[in-house]
Every structure is written in C-alpha cells, then in structure tokens.
Amino acid sequence: MRVLLLAAMPFEIAPFRRMEWPKHLQVQFAVTGIGPKAALYQIKSLMTHHQPDWIVGVGVCGALDGEYRPGDIAIPLEFVSDEGSVLLKAGHHKSYETSGRMLSVRRVAATPISKRSLQEAYTAHWVDQESYSWALAASDVGVPFLAIRSVLDTAEDYLPDWRQPFSWRHAVKLPLRVWMAQKNLANVGRQWICGLS
C-alpha cells in the first residue's frame, strides 16, 4: 500500500521520517509549505508523481473548543474552509473512528477572540491552514484522506506576535509544546497509518 504522508513544515514530519515502517507500506514523505494555496499546489503535483492509496496529513493545530489541551490529538471526521467551500469527510477505515471538525483558514487564528468567532461561525473543534486543501485534492481524485494533528495552542492562548508584548509570554511555552506534539504525533500516527492496510 502506498501512503503519502504530508506536513506543512519539516518539524511536523520529522518524527515519521525516523521510524521503521512495515514492509507492506510504502510511505512517501513531503512538506507542502504553510497555507492553503501552497498546500493545494504541492499536493496536486505529489499525487501525480506518487499515486498513493491513502493520503495522511500530520502536524500541529490550534484548538477552537476549550476542552482541548496542548498535546491532545485531533483526527477529524470533517474538514471545512473559511472560503465558504463544501464540507469534506475523512476517509473511512473499518479499524478507526474519526470525529469533530477541522477548519482551515487563510490567516492564522492568533487570539482567543478570533478563535471564539471561528468556533461559533463554523462549529469547528480545531483550526489549521492546510488540511482542507489536502482533503480537497484527495477527494478530487478519489483517494481517501486522513488528518492527524496535535494541539499546539488552546482556545485561550495568544500566538506570539512581536508587535504585541503581552503575547510574548506564550512564546516560552512553544518549545515544550512542539516537543510534546512531535512525541504524541509519532505515537498515535504510526498506529493509525500502519492500520490502514
């Protein structure tokens, strides 16, 4: 089985590159870049070249729902875009269940107010920038898609912005949260990907 494993940034896919994979899986790794346009452009080229049986997107996300904490794993059932696009569903697999909705946005949701607004408008649980583009491209050619994300920032967190001094304290938390995300993604992601056969 051919699996195309995608991430927006190198640090998100790094733990998967270091793994030993079962012989029945041919895992190809790719970094598409940040944002919906880069993600869509890159995945179309990658699908033509690799012709995968499954596409799996991994990486970090933000929480829009207050119940999610740093390091929690999101494996969404639904994907929606802030561009008003149609709702897409994750690929179905008999061994696993997906749940919740991932919203992909053009601009980063950097404040608790913006996250609350997005949660109310789209009834989404998490936010990222690439999953919808990946799901859309996979859907267009009939290849099942799965996203496995780890929460980096909660619904109450500000993302660090050098123009906003009050947000700087959140930057201190990021290295530990990135490490936690990589660890959790590696543990959960490998199990799910190996179970796709």
Side-chain angles (χ1 to χ4, degrees):
M1 174 175 287
R2 297 183 300 274
V3 178
L4 178 57
L5 188 60
L6 304 173
M9 294 179 280
F11 84 87
E12 294 172 305
I13 208 167
F16 296 93
R17 290 185 187 274
R18 295 190 289 266
M19 293 178 182
E20 286 190 26
W21 295 94
K23 292 181 180 179
H24 70 276
L25 287 180
Q26 298 174 34
V27 183
Q28 297 291 330
F29 306 96
V31 175
T32 65
I34 300 169
K37 287 185 179 179
L40 188 59
Y41 175 80
Q42 290 294 336
I43 189 175
K44 287 183 175 180
S45 172
L46 290 163
M47 286 190 305
T48 301
H49 187 261
H50 296 295
Q51 298 183 333
D53 299 303
W54 271 87
I55 297 172
V56 181
V58 298
V60 296
C61 66
L64 298 180
D65 188 318
E67 74 174 86
Y68 297 102
R69 311 316 308 160
D72 285 353
I73 294 293
I75 306 176
L77 169 64
E78 299 175 333
F79 304 94
V80 67
S81 165
D82 68 350
E83 297 186 81
S85 303
V86 297
L87 187 71
L88 299 173
K89 298 273 189 178
H92 174 72
H93 193 275
K94 61 184 178 182
S95 300
Y96 300 110
E97 290 187 15
T98 53
S99 64
R101 180 177 294 174
M102 177 71 74
L103 168 66
S104 293
V105 294
R106 289 163 286 177
R107 295 185 63 188
V108 173
T111 68
I113 292 173
S114 65
K115 292 175 186 179
R116 192 174 310 115
S117 175
L118 290 170
Q119 198 277 332
E120 291 172 357
Y122 296 95
T123 59
H125 300 82
W126 311 280
V127 62
D128 71 3
Q129 291 194 283
E130 299 82 23
S131 290
Y132 185 85
S133 293
W134 294 337
L136 179 62
S139 175
D140 284 348
V141 295
V143 176
F145 171 74
L146 179 71
I148 305 171
R149 296 277 194 170
S150 181
V151 173
L152 188 64
D153 52 288
T154 70
E156 298 81 30
D157 285 334
Y158 288 86
L159 291 183
D161 183 339
W162 66 271
R163 297 165 296 184
Q164 306 289 340
F166 63 85
S167 73
W168 295 352
R169 65 187 175 91
H170 293 276
V172 177
K173 304 175 186 177
L174 287 181
L176 177 59
R177 289 187 180 183
V178 166
W179 175 82
M180 187 187 313
Q182 287 181 312
K183 181 180 177 184
N184 291 351
L185 281 170
N187 289 340
V188 174
R190 188 177 194 281
Q191 295 173 25
W192 274 68
I193 295 166
C194 288
L196 293 176
S197 58

PDB file of all heavy atoms in Angstrom, residues 7 12 18 26-28 43 51 63-64 72 81 86 89 92 100 108 135 140 150 154 180:
ATOM      1  N   ALA A   7       3.083  17.115   5.556  1.00  0.00           N
ATOM      2  CA  ALA A   7       3.100  18.091   6.642  1.00  0.00           C
ATOM      3  C   ALA A   7       3.373  19.456   6.023  1.00  0.00           C
ATOM      4  O   ALA A   7       3.916  19.555   4.920  1.00  0.00           O
ATOM      5  CB  ALA A   7       4.165  17.758   7.679  1.00  0.00           C
ATOM      6  N   GLU A  12       7.174  18.990  11.654  1.00  0.00           N
ATOM      7  CA  GLU A  12       5.963  18.202  11.868  1.00  0.00           C
ATOM      8  C   GLU A  12       6.095  16.781  11.332  1.00  0.00           C
ATOM      9  O   GLU A  12       5.486  15.846  11.852  1.00  0.00           O
ATOM     10  CB  GLU A  12       4.766  18.892  11.199  1.00  0.00           C
ATOM     11  CG  GLU A  12       4.415  20.227  11.839  1.00  0.00           C
ATOM     12  CD  GLU A  12       3.366  20.995  11.052  1.00  0.00           C
ATOM     13  OE1 GLU A  12       3.591  21.229   9.841  1.00  0.00           O
ATOM     14  OE2 GLU A  12       2.335  21.359  11.631  1.00  0.00           O
ATOM     15  N   ARG A  18      11.983   9.187  10.921  1.00  0.00           N
ATOM     16  CA  ARG A  18      12.925   8.382  11.702  1.00  0.00           C
ATOM     17  C   ARG A  18      12.398   6.977  12.009  1.00  0.00           C
ATOM     18  O   ARG A  18      13.116   6.152  12.578  1.00  0.00           O
ATOM     19  CB  ARG A  18      13.254   9.104  13.019  1.00  0.00           C
ATOM     20  CG  ARG A  18      13.989  10.420  12.821  1.00  0.00           C
ATOM     21  CD  ARG A  18      14.503  10.964  14.139  1.00  0.00           C
ATOM     22  NE  ARG A  18      13.452  11.444  15.001  1.00  0.00           N
ATOM     23  CZ  ARG A  18      13.040  12.717  15.068  1.00  0.00           C
ATOM     24  NH1 ARG A  18      13.608  13.630  14.292  1.00  0.00           N
ATOM     25  NH2 ARG A  18      12.082  13.079  15.899  1.00  0.00           N
ATOM     26  N   GLN A  26       4.458   1.461   1.694  1.00  0.00           N
ATOM     27  CA  GLN A  26       5.433   2.304   1.000  1.00  0.00           C
ATOM     28  C   GLN A  26       5.082   3.750   1.366  1.00  0.00           C
ATOM     29  O   GLN A  26       4.142   4.319   0.818  1.00  0.00           O
ATOM     30  CB  GLN A  26       5.340   2.106  -0.507  1.00  0.00           C
ATOM     31  CG  GLN A  26       5.644   0.706  -0.972  1.00  0.00           C
ATOM     32  CD  GLN A  26       5.402   0.538  -2.451  1.00  0.00           C
ATOM     33  OE1 GLN A  26       5.622   1.462  -3.236  1.00  0.00           O
ATOM     34  NE2 GLN A  26       4.943  -0.631  -2.841  1.00  0.00           N
ATOM     35  N   VAL A  27       5.811   4.309   2.323  1.00  0.00           N
ATOM     36  CA  VAL A  27       5.498   5.647   2.828  1.00  0.00           C
ATOM     37  C   VAL A  27       6.400   6.674   2.154  1.00  0.00           C
ATOM     38  O   VAL A  27       7.629   6.576   2.220  1.00  0.00           O
ATOM     39  CB  VAL A  27       5.654   5.714   4.360  1.00  0.00           C
ATOM     40  CG1 VAL A  27       5.254   7.096   4.878  1.00  0.00           C
ATOM     41  CG2 VAL A  27       4.805   4.633   5.038  1.00  0.00           C
ATOM     42  N   GLN A  28       5.775   7.640   1.504  1.00  0.00           N
ATOM     43  CA  GLN A  28       6.484   8.759   0.883  1.00  0.00           C
ATOM     44  C   GLN A  28       6.236  10.004   1.734  1.00  0.00           C
ATOM     45  O   GLN A  28       5.097  10.263   2.133  1.00  0.00           O
ATOM     46  CB  GLN A  28       5.983   8.992  -0.539  1.00  0.00           C
ATOM     47  CG  GLN A  28       6.230   7.836  -1.474  1.00  0.00           C
ATOM     48  CD  GLN A  28       7.707   7.653  -1.792  1.00  0.00           C
ATOM     49  OE1 GLN A  28       8.477   8.600  -1.807  1.00  0.00           O
ATOM     50  NE2 GLN A  28       8.101   6.417  -2.049  1.00  0.00           N
ATOM     51  N   ILE A  43       0.297  19.372  -3.231  1.00  0.00           N
ATOM     52  CA  ILE A  43      -0.297  18.038  -3.167  1.00  0.00           C
ATOM     53  C   ILE A  43      -0.726  17.551  -4.545  1.00  0.00           C
ATOM     54  O   ILE A  43      -0.626  16.372  -4.854  1.00  0.00           O
ATOM     55  CB  ILE A  43      -1.481  17.964  -2.169  1.00  0.00           C
ATOM     56  CG1 ILE A  43      -1.907  16.493  -1.984  1.00  0.00           C
ATOM     57  CG2 ILE A  43      -2.648  18.810  -2.620  1.00  0.00           C
ATOM     58  CD1 ILE A  43      -2.966  16.279  -0.947  1.00  0.00           C
ATOM     59  N   GLN A  51       1.018   8.611  -6.822  1.00  0.00           N
ATOM     60  CA  GLN A  51      -0.197   7.813  -6.972  1.00  0.00           C
ATOM     61  C   GLN A  51      -0.509   7.001  -5.711  1.00  0.00           C
ATOM     62  O   GLN A  51      -0.536   5.761  -5.730  1.00  0.00           O
ATOM     63  CB  GLN A  51      -0.070   6.898  -8.191  1.00  0.00           C
ATOM     64  CG  GLN A  51       0.101   7.675  -9.488  1.00  0.00           C
ATOM     65  CD  GLN A  51       0.157   6.780 -10.705  1.00  0.00           C
ATOM     66  OE1 GLN A  51       0.554   5.626 -10.633  1.00  0.00           O
ATOM     67  NE2 GLN A  51      -0.263   7.319 -11.835  1.00  0.00           N
ATOM     68  N   ALA A  63      -6.625  24.790  18.941  1.00  0.00           N
ATOM     69  CA  ALA A  63      -7.935  24.365  19.436  1.00  0.00           C
ATOM     70  C   ALA A  63      -8.893  25.551  19.397  1.00  0.00           C
ATOM     71  O   ALA A  63      -8.526  26.663  19.770  1.00  0.00           O
ATOM     72  CB  ALA A  63      -7.817  23.830  20.854  1.00  0.00           C
ATOM     73  N   LEU A  64     -10.101  25.304  18.925  1.00  0.00           N
ATOM     74  CA  LEU A  64     -11.168  26.310  18.979  1.00  0.00           C
ATOM     75  C   LEU A  64     -12.132  26.012  20.117  1.00  0.00           C
ATOM     76  O   LEU A  64     -12.822  26.901  20.599  1.00  0.00           O
ATOM     77  CB  LEU A  64     -11.938  26.339  17.653  1.00  0.00           C
ATOM     78  CG  LEU A  64     -11.141  26.723  16.414  1.00  0.00           C
ATOM     79  CD1 LEU A  64     -12.041  26.693  15.182  1.00  0.00           C
ATOM     80  CD2 LEU A  64     -10.499  28.097  16.571  1.00  0.00           C
ATOM     81  N   ASP A  72      -3.073  17.217  22.897  1.00  0.00           N
ATOM     82  CA  ASP A  72      -4.213  16.380  22.526  1.00  0.00           C
ATOM     83  C   ASP A  72      -4.173  16.090  21.028  1.00  0.00           C
ATOM     84  O   ASP A  72      -3.763  16.939  20.231  1.00  0.00           O
ATOM     85  CB  ASP A  72      -5.545  17.065  22.866  1.00  0.00           C
ATOM     86  CG  ASP A  72      -5.850  17.045  24.355  1.00  0.00           C
ATOM     87  OD1 ASP A  72      -5.119  16.396  25.114  1.00  0.00           O
ATOM     88  OD2 ASP A  72      -6.842  17.695  24.754  1.00  0.00           O
ATOM     89  N   SER A  81     -13.491  24.964   5.078  1.00  0.00           N
ATOM     90  CA  SER A  81     -12.599  26.091   4.819  1.00  0.00           C
ATOM     91  C   SER A  81     -13.310  27.393   5.133  1.00  0.00           C
ATOM     92  O   SER A  81     -14.535  27.499   5.015  1.00  0.00           O
ATOM     93  CB  SER A  81     -12.167  26.062   3.348  1.00  0.00           C
ATOM     94  OG  SER A  81     -11.596  27.291   2.972  1.00  0.00           O
ATOM     95  N   VAL A  86     -17.282  23.567   0.307  1.00  0.00           N
ATOM     96  CA  VAL A  86     -18.127  22.473   0.769  1.00  0.00           C
ATOM     97  C   VAL A  86     -17.450  21.704   1.890  1.00  0.00           C
ATOM     98  O   VAL A  86     -16.226  21.697   2.022  1.00  0.00           O
ATOM     99  CB  VAL A  86     -18.465  21.502  -0.388  1.00  0.00           C
ATOM    100  CG1 VAL A  86     -19.256  22.216  -1.466  1.00  0.00           C
ATOM    101  CG2 VAL A  86     -17.204  20.891  -0.971  1.00  0.00           C
ATOM    102  N   LYS A  89     -15.353  15.006   4.015  1.00  0.00           N
ATOM    103  CA  LYS A  89     -15.260  13.970   5.049  1.00  0.00           C
ATOM    104  C   LYS A  89     -13.920  13.253   4.978  1.00  0.00           C
ATOM    105  O   LYS A  89     -13.335  13.099   3.900  1.00  0.00           O
ATOM    106  CB  LYS A  89     -16.366  12.927   4.851  1.00  0.00           C
ATOM    107  CG  LYS A  89     -17.771  13.487   4.978  1.00  0.00           C
ATOM    108  CD  LYS A  89     -18.233  13.492   6.399  1.00  0.00           C
ATOM    109  CE  LYS A  89     -19.723  13.852   6.472  1.00  0.00           C
ATOM    110  NZ  LYS A  89     -20.224  13.816   7.830  1.00  0.00           N
ATOM    111  N   HIS A  92     -12.835   6.751   5.165  1.00  0.00           N
ATOM    112  CA  HIS A  92     -13.374   5.770   6.106  1.00  0.00           C
ATOM    113  C   HIS A  92     -12.470   4.552   6.167  1.00  0.00           C
ATOM    114  O   HIS A  92     -11.997   4.059   5.143  1.00  0.00           O
ATOM    115  CB  HIS A  92     -14.777   5.336   5.672  1.00  0.00           C
ATOM    116  CG  HIS A  92     -15.334   4.228   6.513  1.00  0.00           C
ATOM    117  ND1 HIS A  92     -15.750   4.425   7.811  1.00  0.00           N
ATOM    118  CD2 HIS A  92     -15.498   2.905   6.252  1.00  0.00           C
ATOM    119  CE1 HIS A  92     -16.170   3.275   8.306  1.00  0.00           C
ATOM    120  NE2 HIS A  92     -16.037   2.335   7.390  1.00  0.00           N
ATOM    121  N   GLY A 100     -15.347  15.085  15.018  1.00  0.00           N
ATOM    122  CA  GLY A 100     -15.071  16.511  15.105  1.00  0.00           C
ATOM    123  C   GLY A 100     -14.800  17.143  13.749  1.00  0.00           C
ATOM    124  O   GLY A 100     -14.718  16.470  12.723  1.00  0.00           O
ATOM    125  N   VAL A 108      -3.830  33.073  10.148  1.00  0.00           N
ATOM    126  CA  VAL A 108      -3.705  32.373  11.425  1.00  0.00           C
ATOM    127  C   VAL A 108      -4.667  32.960  12.455  1.00  0.00           C
ATOM    128  O   VAL A 108      -4.806  34.180  12.576  1.00  0.00           O
ATOM    129  CB  VAL A 108      -2.247  32.481  11.943  1.00  0.00           C
ATOM    130  CG1 VAL A 108      -2.135  31.907  13.338  1.00  0.00           C
ATOM    131  CG2 VAL A 108      -1.302  31.770  10.996  1.00  0.00           C
ATOM    132  N   ALA A 135      -7.434  17.598   1.817  1.00  0.00           N
ATOM    133  CA  ALA A 135      -8.646  16.788   1.686  1.00  0.00           C
ATOM    134  C   ALA A 135      -9.333  17.040   0.350  1.00  0.00           C
ATOM    135  O   ALA A 135      -9.847  16.108  -0.284  1.00  0.00           O
ATOM    136  CB  ALA A 135      -9.600  17.097   2.839  1.00  0.00           C
ATOM    137  N   ASP A 140     -10.854  15.046  -4.982  1.00  0.00           N
ATOM    138  CA  ASP A 140     -10.985  15.252  -6.431  1.00  0.00           C
ATOM    139  C   ASP A 140     -10.557  14.041  -7.247  1.00  0.00           C
ATOM    140  O   ASP A 140     -11.032  13.837  -8.361  1.00  0.00           O
ATOM    141  CB  ASP A 140     -10.176  16.483  -6.866  1.00  0.00           C
ATOM    142  CG  ASP A 140     -10.860  17.789  -6.499  1.00  0.00           C
ATOM    143  OD1 ASP A 140     -12.051  17.759  -6.124  1.00  0.00           O
ATOM    144  OD2 ASP A 140     -10.196  18.850  -6.574  1.00  0.00           O
ATOM    145  N   SER A 150      -1.846  17.454  16.306  1.00  0.00           N
ATOM    146  CA  SER A 150      -1.677  17.619  17.742  1.00  0.00           C
ATOM    147  C   SER A 150      -1.888  19.090  18.100  1.00  0.00           C
ATOM    148  O   SER A 150      -1.380  19.979  17.415  1.00  0.00           O
ATOM    149  CB  SER A 150      -0.285  17.169  18.178  1.00  0.00           C
ATOM    150  OG  SER A 150      -0.126  17.305  19.575  1.00  0.00           O
ATOM    151  N   THR A 154      -4.156  26.423  22.724  1.00  0.00           N
ATOM    152  CA  THR A 154      -5.532  26.210  23.148  1.00  0.00           C
ATOM    153  C   THR A 154      -6.414  27.374  22.701  1.00  0.00           C
ATOM    154  O   THR A 154      -5.931  28.381  22.173  1.00  0.00           O
ATOM    155  CB  THR A 154      -5.617  26.092  24.680  1.00  0.00           C
ATOM    156  OG1 THR A 154      -5.354  27.389  25.260  1.00  0.00           O
ATOM    157  CG2 THR A 154      -4.614  25.079  25.216  1.00  0.00           C
ATOM    158  N   MET A 180       6.173  18.000  22.714  1.00  0.00           N
ATOM    159  CA  MET A 180       5.048  17.155  23.097  1.00  0.00           C
ATOM    160  C   MET A 180       4.228  16.748  21.872  1.00  0.00           C
ATOM    161  O   MET A 180       3.809  15.596  21.732  1.00  0.00           O
ATOM    162  CB  MET A 180       4.144  17.914  24.087  1.00  0.00           C
ATOM    163  CG  MET A 180       3.031  17.080  24.677  1.00  0.00           C
ATOM    164  SD  MET A 180       1.880  18.080  25.692  1.00  0.00           S
ATOM    165  CE  MET A 180       3.004  19.030  26.673  1.00  0.00           C
TER     166      MET A 180
END
